[in-house]
Amino acid sequence: MFRFRWAVGGIAVLLPLSLLVIAGFLLQYSWPAIQFNGLGFLLNNDWNLGRMYGNPVTVRGELVLPGASYGVLFLIGGTLLSSLIAIALALPLGVLSAVFLSAGLRGVARAAASFLVELLAAVPSVVYGLWGYVVLIPFLGHHLYPLLADTLGRIIPAFAEPTGSGYGLFTAGILLSFMIVPLIAATLRDALDATDSALRESGVALGASRIEVMRHILLPGQRTVIAGASILALGRALGETMAVLMVSGNALNILPKNIYDPVSTMAAFIVSQLDSAMQDPTGMAVRSLAEVALLLMAISVLVNGAAQTLLWLSGRRA
């Protein structure tokens, strides 16, 4: 038993240790880029590999190609905006799905529906991306976006024309929302199922319907769980790569002027630019991509850490 506990403890230590190792590697590898880019890396909107066939020059103590500059403001904007749109769409749908699974179904139907929701979370992201490319982009570009521009666009400038071809910020947000709804729904459903049955019975005894019990008694007690699940889902959206790469339009060095404009996110940008960056003989382009990865990792760790804290506080209160 003593050896078993030591083995389990050793495995548990490996998890945070692996995170520190990855963070340490990214920091060490991207350090020359951090020194070269400085604070302008976060504030500038210019990713330029420089003249690929020019002779390398020394700038701020680092060897780079002539004209090279690296700024990721457009990536930060695309990542945060697409993720926030995804959360705004997925949160109400996820909460309604959890309520329906917990209170609206019984027996075999509930088990089957719960299984399907959890199965959606296991679908590879590239499958979502292919579905978005074949189905979502034509539908949005030809039908929904012109309708939104003619209606909401008259009131809200962000929805005004041009609507583009279907690739862009809103498309990425919609696709991400489909991917994170199962996470929110499954987490909240489990929390609702774990609620003391006495609360349900007391509400029914007072003459409340099941919907009223859910709305006025059960859901108010799950606010922290909803917040924690939302932040976990936000962390998933921030790090999504292939699906976003296939529908976002992969804009370079531009911030979106409306909700239909093409964007690029940090994770998708790393994948799309890695081949070009490897052509840089100085290696600064690849190191700058590593700095992008380090920034994305820091954001994801902060988001997931906040979610875990909220869920832990929820468990303490329960």
Side-chain angles (χ1 to χ4, degrees):
M1 179 63 70
F2 182 75
R3 292 180 179 179
F4 175 76
R5 289 179 178 177
W6 269 102
V8 173
I11 295 174
V13 169
L14 286 177
L15 298 178
L17 183 61
S18 62
L19 178 65
L20 292 176
V21 169
I22 295 173
F25 163 75
L26 288 176
L27 180 62
Q28 183 271 333
Y29 187 77
S30 63
W31 186 250
I34 294 173
Q35 291 182 308
F36 171 71
N37 295 320
L39 189 60
F41 185 74
L42 303 176
L43 304 177
N44 293 335
N45 208 34
D46 180 28
W47 184 278
N48 186 356
L49 301 183
R51 296 193 293 274
M52 298 299 292
Y53 299 102
N55 294 322
V57 295
T58 301
V59 179
R60 292 189 287 276
E62 301 295 338
L63 195 65
V64 298
L65 291 175
S69 61
Y70 304 97
V72 295
L73 180 61
F74 69 102
L75 295 179
I76 297 174
T79 301
L80 295 180
L81 288 174
S82 61
S83 299
L84 290 176
I85 290 172
I87 284 295
L89 296 175
L91 182 56
L93 185 57
V95 171
L96 291 175
S97 299
V99 170
F100 181 69
L101 291 173
S102 180
L105 293 177
R106 291 291 184 270
V108 177
R110 178 182 178 182
S114 298
F115 173 75
L116 289 176
V117 168
E118 293 175 359
L119 188 63
L120 286 173
V123 175
S125 62
V126 70
V127 176
Y128 280 104
L130 183 60
W131 173 79
Y133 176 79
V134 175
V135 177
L136 196 60
I137 288 175
F139 171 74
L140 296 178
H142 297 147
H143 302 288
L144 182 61
Y145 287 172
L147 178 62
L148 291 177
D150 289 338
T151 54
L152 291 178
R154 300 177 185 274
I155 306 172
I156 306 174
F159 286 89
E161 293 182 342
T163 59
S165 60
Y167 295 91
L169 173 61
F170 200 32
T171 306
I174 292 173
L175 186 62
L176 285 172
S177 69
F178 281 112
M179 300 178 68
I180 63 178
V181 161
L183 177 59
I184 298 173
T187 303
L188 181 57
R189 180 209 59 200
D190 291 341
L192 290 172
D193 290 346
T195 304
D196 191 349
S197 60
L199 291 175
R200 300 175 185 265
E201 295 170 359
S202 61
V204 173
L206 291 173
S209 65
R210 286 192 298 173
I211 297 300
E212 290 173 334
V213 170
M214 181 65 67
R215 179 182 176 183
H216 297 292
I217 299 177
L218 300 183
L219 280 180
Q222 304 297 335
R223 290 172 182 169
T224 307
V225 175
I226 294 173
S230 300
I231 297 177
L232 285 174
L234 178 61
R236 166 76 189 276
L238 288 170
E240 185 50 54
T241 305
M242 289 307 301
V244 176
L245 180 63
M246 298 170 74
V247 302
S248 63
N250 302 320
L252 183 65
N253 296 339
I254 58 172
L255 288 170
K257 297 181 179 62
N258 64 21
I259 205 166
Y260 316 110
D261 275 356
V263 296
S264 189
T265 65
M266 287 185 277
F269 187 78
I270 292 171
V271 174
S272 64
Q273 293 295 315
L274 182 59
D275 184 62
S276 298
M278 292 180 67
Q279 308 305 315
D280 180 0
T282 68
M284 185 56 67
V286 178
R287 294 182 184 274
S288 295
L289 286 179
E291 188 177 358
V292 176
L294 182 64
L295 176 62
L296 178 60
M297 183 177 181
I299 294 174
S300 299
V301 168
L302 289 175
V303 167
N304 283 277
Q308 293 296 334
T309 302
L310 285 173
L311 292 175
W312 177 76
L313 290 175
S314 175
R316 294 266 299 187
R317 291 179 181 178

